[in-house]
Amino acid sequence: MVTADSSAKNLRVDGLARLEDGTPIRGGTVIASELKPKIGQMPSVRMLTRAITNGTGAFVLMIEDIEGDLDIELIDDQCSWRGGYKLLNAMEFKEKNEIHIELIAVVDDCNDPLK
C-alpha cells in the first residue's frame, strides 16, 4: 500500500514479493529508486531506500521527499528466481492514498547452462 502526503511527498510503500505460483519470497531485497525525466537525456536515478522481505514475502519501504516517478525492484539475489519490478508514475501516488504493490518473480535455474 502506498500512502501519500501531498505537501511533503512522503510515502509508505508496502507489498508482497512472490513467485509466479504464489510462493512467498523470503529474504529478498526490495529497492526503491526515484526517476526524474530530463528532456533529451536519460532520466536521473536516485536510490531512496531498501527493505528485506519477511517470511510471508511482505516488505515496507519508508520514502521521503519523492518528486519523480518511483521504481520498485525485487533484486534477484537468489539463484532460484529472477526479480520483478513495479514502476509508478508520480501521478499514481499523488492522486491516491493507497496502492497495493505486488512484485512477481520468475522461477530460474542458474545452474542449468541451457536456460
Side-chain angles (χ1 to χ4, degrees):
M1 151 182 338
V2 176
T3 307
D5 174 347
S6 60
S7 61
K9 296 185 183 175
N10 294 334
L11 303 173
R12 173 186 155 90
V13 179
D14 66 37
L16 295 172
R18 301 188 179 281
L19 294 175
E20 294 171 300
D21 67 2
T23 304
I25 294 177
R26 297 170 182 89
T29 301
V30 180
I31 295 177
S33 301
E34 178 181 39
L35 306 175
K36 286 186 179 177
K38 293 183 174 184
I39 297 174
Q41 299 178 22
M42 295 292 291
S44 67
V45 178
R46 176 175 65 117
M47 185 175 160
L48 301 170
T49 190
R50 69 184 182 109
I52 305 297
T53 60
N54 69 14
T56 63
F59 61 90
V60 176
L61 300 164
M62 302 302 291
I63 301 172
E64 297 180 0
D65 300 323
I66 181 89
E67 295 177 5
D69 297 337
L70 183 59
D71 177 52
I72 302 173
E73 294 185 53
L74 176 62
I75 304 300
D76 47 346
D77 53 0
Q78 305 278 334
C79 200
S80 59
W81 51 268
R82 287 183 281 140
Y85 73 96
K86 178 77 173 173
L87 180 62
L88 298 172
N89 180 285
M91 294 304 293
E92 287 184 70
F93 52 81
K94 181 178 181 183
E95 299 296 323
K96 296 179 182 178
N97 290 332
E98 298 180 0
I99 297 174
H100 180 73
I101 303 296
E102 280 195 59
L103 301 175
I104 307 298
V106 177
V107 175
D108 194 7
D109 182 1
C110 301
N111 296 320
D112 185 348
L114 300 177
K115 289 190 178 184

